[in-house]
Amino acid sequence: FQSVMDEKARRNLGAHYTSEKNILKLIKPLFLDDLQTELDTAKTDKKKLQKLHDKISKLRFLDPACGCGNFLIIAYRELRTLELDIVKVLLKGQQVTSINDYFLVDVDQFYGIEYEEFPSQIAQVAMWLMDHQMNEAASLEFGEYYKRIPLKKSATIVCGNALRIDWQSLIVPYPWEKENIRYDYILGNPPFIGSRLMSELQRDDIKRIFFDVDNNGILDYVAAWYSIAADYIQNLKTKVGFVSTNSICQGEQVEVLWGKLFNSKKIVIQFAHKTFKWNNEARGNAAVYCVIVGFTCFETHSKILYDYDDIAGEPHATSAKNINAYLVDGKNVFIKKNTTPLNNMPNLIRGSIPYDDGNLLMNKEEADQLIQENPEIGIYVKKYGGAYELINNEWRYCIWLLNANPTIIKKNTFLFNRVEKVRIFRENSKGQSVKSKASTPSLFGDLRQPTGENYLLIPRHSSERRRYIPIGFISNQTILADSAYGLPNATLYHFGVMTSDMHMAWVKYTCGRIKSDFRYSKDIVYNNFPWAENPTEKQKEAVEKAAQAVLDARASFPNSSLADLYDPNTMPPALVKAHQQLDKAVDLCYRSQPFTSEAKRIEFLFELYDKYTAGMFVKEKKKSKKK
């Protein structure tokens, strides 16, 4: 089969091929572990084994985004392996003339939908190939050649848009079936396409499926499969398991997608793999950061969370009472956009945007030369930067003409020419918001400079490799760029809490991501962060003392950037120790018992958030008008 495919076809196959190890992460908790438990319980009880054998021969599986059929192939192989174990016990001690009648599981129990024609054809043939391999395994086990030729049955693979096809329409009832005709398991790996990368057709799919949900334009394409699957399993015992980008369980998407699934569809998450690195085995070896979510519309006796200490490593399983949309063992709460911080904390400010075509910005060398040649305008040259500049200690500079004397601007050729270029750039802009700022070309387009003596600079984007987001105190004479947030008049207590394990646990579970890197936000992350409820003055002083120790440890390496200091491979032991002491001090502000893991921290924070926000987001009912 491989030999007749051209190079393009082989590349296509490789692009659709995913690691068997990762596929089993979904298949095992979805159905295989339960069936294996039934087999282990039955042991040598032939009645129970025959009942289990009959059960698995009637199960139906659907992959509504099947690609080349990888999930179906592995699911079929595992089901046939289970069947082989059953048949071995049933036939033990018996003389059998033919084993043909003892194998009931077949490819026609498997269904798939695939948008592209070539992969769908591969899936069809690949199921027969796996069937052949399992028949050979049976032949080897019993010493009798077992075959299913001529081919009488096949998997049902439909080429088309799974979001516009009635999934139930694929099923052809067996002769004995009159009711309860359904898929037992829906599984797969729907397309990973972000909201900004979708085609118009894909956007139409999202709008049509989530027509009743506000802000549906931020959803990833994979969300549509979740919604359709949730519709399908209403009042059924069907189980669903999908591999997805982890973005659907982080940031703004959570409430939009899962609010509908939990509230309207009443789904229950039965198992989930938290964020891990998913690799395929194609030549390019693309890697994305994924979650696996298994859900139903009915309760089961147990729920399992799979957590990863290393996102590229192996998971460890823990039982959970309830798995919420953030894949946390806790209540089904949703972190909504909030315009004000909890606990009366100071407001976070986003940095300023120049809208200048580069005319108000310069590097250090340019700034030094400008001041040397024009010392009279040195007061208008300010240090400028945000995330990159803070983390790498490579600051830029800007021309900051707020409250500047117009005469000075007009007399200085350099300033006047730069301001003129800004005006022309803004006037010629296609965007009305930028064009409207042409009347004030000497100023940044958006002015949001923090007030006070200093402020705390928090990068909007930071590498997930770092245990802590590097933040720092900055003089108000440094202009804050839009790539960061500023916390005006911040104290050591604010710094200590925001650079602790407690705050980072909240960040990891609630912020959006760019690939795997943190995308810190004001309205979702900071404004909803549950600060300690009633810390004593002594506890706050302990945090401030530990926070100062962190700053002192940093200062002892004056030639090292925060990128160097917070790289997990080069973080100085003195800084590590200082952070450990700070983490302990912050934890004690929340409770006296130590937190044994990040999972325990985030569970506690969600409970505290639920307590703080009880009733906050409930919409008031409008009073009906009297007739």
Side-chain angles (χ1 to χ4, degrees):
F1 175 64
Q2 288 257 10
S3 66
V4 300
M5 293 196 298
D6 60 21
E7 179 61 24
K8 180 180 178 181
R10 285 197 294 274
R11 286 199 302 270
N12 199 334
L13 175 60
H16 284 78
Y17 190 78
T18 45
S19 167
E20 173 188 325
K21 180 180 176 181
N22 283 334
I23 293 173
L24 287 171
K25 288 180 180 178
L26 186 155
I27 288 175
K28 285 175 64 63
L30 182 65
F31 70 90
L32 194 58
D33 288 345
D34 288 342
L35 295 179
Q36 186 63 52
T37 299
E38 286 190 53
L39 175 59
D40 296 340
T41 303
K43 295 182 180 179
T44 58
D45 187 324
K46 291 192 174 182
K47 286 187 177 180
K48 290 183 178 179
L49 289 171
Q50 287 169 345
K51 185 177 180 181
L52 176 59
H53 194 190
D54 182 64
K55 172 183 174 179
I56 67 173
S57 71
K58 295 176 181 177
L59 296 176
R60 284 192 176 96
F61 299 78
L62 168 69
D63 183 345
C66 70
C68 291
N70 306 299
F71 284 79
L72 297 176
I73 293 164
I74 302 302
Y76 181 59
R77 185 195 69 187
E78 295 303 310
L79 203 63
R80 285 292 303 271
T81 301
L82 189 78
E83 181 185 41
L84 183 59
D85 291 339
I86 294 172
V87 173
K88 282 193 296 186
V89 178
L90 290 175
L91 297 185
K92 188 175 182 180
Q94 296 184 34
Q95 289 187 347
V96 181
T97 56
S98 174
I99 62 171
N100 288 31
D101 297 333
Y102 289 90
F103 289 96
L104 309 178
V105 176
D106 213 329
V107 291
D108 63 340
Q109 297 172 235
F110 291 77
Y111 301 78
I113 305 172
E114 168 53 34
Y115 191 77
E116 298 180 30
E117 183 177 357
F118 181 76
S120 67
Q121 292 175 352
I122 290 177
Q124 187 87 50
V125 177
M127 289 295 289
W128 281 321
L129 292 174
M130 180 53 70
D131 184 61
H132 174 67
Q133 290 181 20
M134 297 312 299
N135 293 340
E136 285 189 325
S139 300
L140 185 64
E141 178 67 35
F142 292 101
E144 177 187 335
Y145 183 55
Y146 175 48
K147 60 184 179 181
R148 283 174 172 168
I149 298 176
L151 297 171
K152 297 180 179 179
K153 296 180 179 180
S154 68
T156 301
I157 309 295
V158 173
C159 181
N161 184 346
L163 305 183
R164 296 173 182 258
I165 290 176
D166 178 7
W167 295 0
Q168 183 69 16
S169 67
L170 276 65
I171 296 180
V172 177
Y174 295 125
W176 61 84
E177 287 183 313
K178 293 183 179 179
E179 56 184 19
N180 198 29
I181 302 168
R182 60 178 174 87
Y183 301 109
D184 297 276
Y185 302 99
I186 299 172
L187 69 164
N189 179 16
F192 296 170
I193 304 175
S195 59
R196 297 181 181 180
L197 301 176
M198 286 188 282
S199 67
E200 285 304 313
L201 179 62
Q202 291 163 344
R203 292 183 198 282
D204 288 343
D205 286 334
I206 290 291
K207 291 176 182 177
R208 177 173 50 83
I209 293 166
F210 291 94
F211 70 93
D212 55 344
V213 178
D214 294 336
N215 206 20
N216 59 45
I218 68 170
L219 291 173
D220 289 350
Y221 198 39
V222 68
W225 274 261
Y226 276 83
S227 181
I228 292 179
D231 284 335
Y232 181 86
I233 65 177
Q234 296 297 302
N235 302 314
L236 298 177
K237 291 295 182 180
T238 300
K239 295 183 177 181
V240 181
F242 287 139
V243 179
S244 314
T245 46
N246 60 359
S247 53
I248 65 166
C249 294
Q250 299 167 342
E252 291 182 72
Q253 290 196 57
V254 177
E255 190 212 348
V256 179
L257 170 60
W258 296 99
K260 174 181 180 179
L261 299 187
F262 278 117
N263 298 329
S264 301
K265 307 302 178 185
K266 307 300 180 185
I267 68 105
V268 179
I269 297 179
Q270 303 293 353
F271 70 89
H273 281 260
K274 296 183 181 181
T275 298
F276 66 98
K277 194 173 183 179
W278 178 283
N279 294 305
N280 68 34
E281 295 184 357
R283 188 175 300 172
N285 193 30
V288 290
Y289 294 86
C290 296
V291 293
I292 296 175
V293 183
F295 62 93
T296 62
C297 277
F298 58 90
E299 283 285 356
T300 56
H301 62 281
S302 65
K303 299 179 177 68
I304 303 175
L305 268 173
Y306 296 87
D307 206 349
Y308 292 77
D309 296 326
D310 176 3
I311 58 174
E314 293 300 313
H316 54 85
T318 56
S319 59
K321 294 180 180 179
N322 183 70
I323 302 175
N324 68 22
Y326 299 89
L327 307 187
V328 171
D329 185 1
K331 292 182 179 180
N332 292 331
V333 298
F334 297 101
I335 312 302
K336 300 174 183 286
K337 275 190 171 185
N338 196 1
T339 56
T340 56
L342 298 179
N343 306 80
N344 295 315
M345 287 296 154
N347 286 308
L348 205 61
I349 297 173
R350 190 165 170 175
S352 301
I353 307 176
Y355 297 119
D356 66 329
D357 198 29
N359 289 293
L360 297 178
L361 304 181
M362 62 192 79
N363 58 36
K364 189 177 187 306
E365 290 73 21
E366 291 169 333
D368 290 342
Q369 184 178 350
L370 174 62
I371 294 173
Q372 185 177 357
E373 296 174 355
N374 302 267
E376 72 279 5
I377 66 169
I379 60 172
Y380 301 117
V381 178
K382 305 283 189 181
K383 186 185 285 189
Y384 167 84
Y388 178 87
E389 290 77 14
L390 172 74
I391 293 171
N392 296 281
N393 197 27
E394 296 179 8
W395 294 90
R396 290 182 287 168
Y397 288 77
C398 70
I399 301 169
W400 189 255
L401 297 171
L402 183 65
N403 299 323
N405 189 321
T407 303
I408 293 177
I409 298 174
K410 190 170 183 178
K411 286 184 176 180
N412 186 279
T413 304
F414 178 87
L415 289 182
F416 187 83
N417 289 341
R418 286 295 183 103
V419 170
E420 173 68 5
K421 289 178 181 179
V422 173
R423 183 186 62 78
I424 294 172
F425 168 73
R426 292 178 182 175
E427 284 181 346
N428 294 329
S429 173
K430 294 181 179 179
Q432 186 57 41
S433 62
V434 176
K435 190 185 290 289
S436 66
K437 303 177 192 302
S439 58
T440 55
S442 63
L443 302 180
F444 272 42
D446 288 337
L447 290 171
R448 293 187 287 259
Q449 179 63 7
T451 57
E453 184 177 344
N454 58 31
Y455 60 90
L456 199 58
L457 191 153
I458 302 99
R460 287 174 56 204
H461 302 114
S462 177
S463 170
E464 53 85 22
R465 291 184 66 248
R466 303 184 184 107
R467 181 167 177 176
Y468 309 95
I469 294 177
I471 65 178
F473 285 103
I474 303 296
S475 164
N476 70 346
Q477 293 302 304
T478 297
I479 305 305
L480 179 65
D482 185 53
S483 61
Y485 290 107
L487 191 65
N489 300 309
T491 66
L492 279 170
Y493 178 72
H494 297 131
F495 170 81
V497 173
M498 294 186 70
T499 191
S500 70
D501 272 347
M502 188 65 78
H503 183 247
M504 286 306 301
W506 183 258
V507 170
K508 290 176 184 178
Y509 281 85
T510 62
C511 79
R513 302 281 180 124
I514 295 180
K515 293 183 178 179
S516 63
D517 292 341
F518 302 125
R519 186 170 60 192
Y520 198 90
S521 72
K522 176 175 69 74
D523 293 345
I524 293 290
V525 182
Y526 176 78
N527 286 350
N528 287 305
F529 175 63
W531 294 75
E533 191 168 8
N534 291 302
T536 64
E537 287 302 315
K538 185 177 180 180
Q539 289 171 334
K540 293 177 72 172
E541 287 174 4
V543 171
E544 291 171 349
K545 182 179 178 180
Q548 185 60 56
V550 168
L551 294 174
D552 293 342
R554 290 181 183 180
S556 63
F557 299 92
N559 297 323
S560 296
S561 67
L562 292 180
D564 297 332
L565 292 173
Y566 284 90
D567 187 301
N569 295 327
T570 59
M571 192 171 182
L575 184 57
V576 172
K577 185 177 180 179
H579 268 288
Q580 289 172 344
Q581 294 302 314
L582 176 58
D583 290 335
K584 291 178 181 178
V586 172
D587 286 353
L588 288 172
C589 290
Y590 285 86
R591 71 180 194 186
S592 58
Q593 302 90 353
F595 293 95
T596 57
S597 65
E598 183 179 275
K600 294 300 180 184
R601 276 193 178 87
I602 195 63
E603 288 170 20
F604 181 90
L605 287 173
F606 268 100
E607 290 178 5
L608 196 55
Y609 172 81
D610 187 48
K611 177 181 179 179
Y612 288 163
T613 60
M616 181 184 293
F617 300 108
V618 177
K619 294 181 179 179
E620 293 185 6
K621 293 183 179 179
K622 294 182 179 179
K623 295 181 180 180
S624 57
K625 294 181 179 180
K626 293 182 179 180
K627 293 183 180 179

